[in-house]
Structure formats: C-alpha cells, structure tokens
Amino acid sequence: MEFQRFSALFGKIKYIFIALLVYRIGSFIPVPGANPAEVARLLSTDSNLFGLFNTLSGGALSRLSLFTMGIMPYITTSIIVQIMTTFYPPFEQLKKEGERGRAKIAYYTRAAAIVFATAQSIGMIRLLQSSGILMVPTTFDFVMVLLTFVTGTSVLMWLGDQITQRGL
C-alpha cells in the first residue's frame, strides 16, 4: 500500500518535471523577426513597461520566445468568467448544474482565452514593432508572429489543464 502511494507520488512529480522541461524548452524557441540586440537594449534601460511584461512572462519577453504572452490571457479570461457566473444568468445557471456546468464554463473560458490571447498578441506585436524589437514587414510575417504568440498561450493552457487533470 505504501509503495503504491509512493509510486503514484513519484509519477506526479515526474510529470511536473516534464511539464517544466517543456516550458523551459518553449521559452527558448524564438519568435520569427525578433531583434535580440534591441530587446537587450530596451530591457537594460529604465523602461518599466518592458520590465513589467518581462516579469509577467517569466523572462520570456527578454528572449522573445514562444511563451512571451505567458498564461496571462487565460488568467484574465478566468477572472472575467468567474465574475460573469455571479452576474450573468446563463452562467449562473451553468454554475448550478454541477460537473457538467463546470465543464461547459471551462470550455467557454478556454475559447474566450484564445480570443483574448489573439487581441493581446496583436497589441504586443504593435508595441514591439513600434519599439524596433520586432520586424514584421509583411502581413504574412505579422500572422506568423501572431500565431506563434497564440500557440504559446494555448500550449501553456494545455499544460495547466494536464497538471490539473492529473491531480497536481
């Protein structure tokens, strides 16, 4: 009995380390069109805005990586949906339906998080473009960077869901 609990705990800890490894690898995959010298210059100055973004993304902004947006769009959406379950009658009803309602709310949260990630990514790309950090001369380049940012957020949401499903 004791061995089974230890084995299950070891499996969970091993999964956490694998998830952390995936995160670390993703934080080093660069965004197309990034200018690393300009990133270093801006982060070395007293620019509080970029420093704040860098801190919130776990340092991913300093490398302009796949996970630059981080999990913030999902967190923002989760907060909004939780507030809506108090004030918006259809969400109130879903909240009262038990497990099935919670599953639907989670689905709506993830779907809305993709929309938020897209909107925030467009803003981030425009900010990085105007700062000279990101070079996206064509629409194709813009879409590639946008897809990279949204994909990074989606992967982090998936990792979080996997950790939650495994009871960690």
Side-chain angles (χ1 to χ4, degrees):
M1 182 70 167
E2 188 69 30
F3 177 74
Q4 287 177 337
R5 285 195 303 184
F6 177 75
S7 178
L9 179 63
F10 181 73
K12 290 178 180 186
I13 291 172
K14 185 172 72 171
Y15 186 79
I16 287 175
F17 281 119
I18 291 170
L20 286 172
L21 180 66
V22 168
Y23 176 78
R24 291 306 296 164
I25 290 170
S27 69
F28 285 99
I29 297 173
V31 171
N35 183 351
E38 192 62 26
V39 173
R41 186 190 67 75
L42 272 175
L43 288 174
S44 68
T45 63
D46 292 330
S47 176
N48 291 334
L49 182 62
F50 286 107
L52 176 66
F53 282 147
N54 191 41
T55 301
L56 291 176
S57 69
L61 179 61
S62 64
R63 291 181 292 279
L64 266 177
S65 71
L66 176 66
F67 297 144
T68 296
M69 293 301 296
I71 199 77
M72 292 305 294
Y74 179 73
I75 292 171
T76 304
T77 306
S78 294
I79 292 169
I80 291 170
V81 168
Q82 287 302 314
I83 291 170
M84 286 178 66
T85 59
T86 307
F87 298 110
Y88 187 58
F91 277 21
E92 282 182 73
Q93 190 64 31
L94 282 175
K95 187 177 178 182
K96 293 176 185 174
E97 288 183 13
E99 188 60 37
R100 187 172 88 68
R102 281 192 293 274
K104 277 190 173 183
I105 289 173
Y107 172 78
Y108 294 145
T109 302
R110 285 190 293 273
I114 298 298
V115 173
F116 270 75
T118 303
Q120 289 179 3
S121 295
I122 290 170
M124 180 67 83
I125 292 168
R126 294 290 186 213
L127 177 68
L128 296 174
Q129 245 183 332
S130 67
S131 301
I133 293 175
L134 198 58
M135 303 300 156
V136 285
T138 66
T139 303
F140 177 78
D141 295 332
F142 184 89
V143 170
M144 287 304 297
V145 174
L146 178 68
L147 288 174
T148 302
F149 284 163
V150 173
T151 300
T153 297
S154 300
V155 167
L156 291 177
M157 286 184 343
W158 177 79
L159 271 177
D161 283 344
Q162 293 302 306
I163 290 171
T164 300
Q165 287 176 2
R166 294 176 186 266
L168 303 175

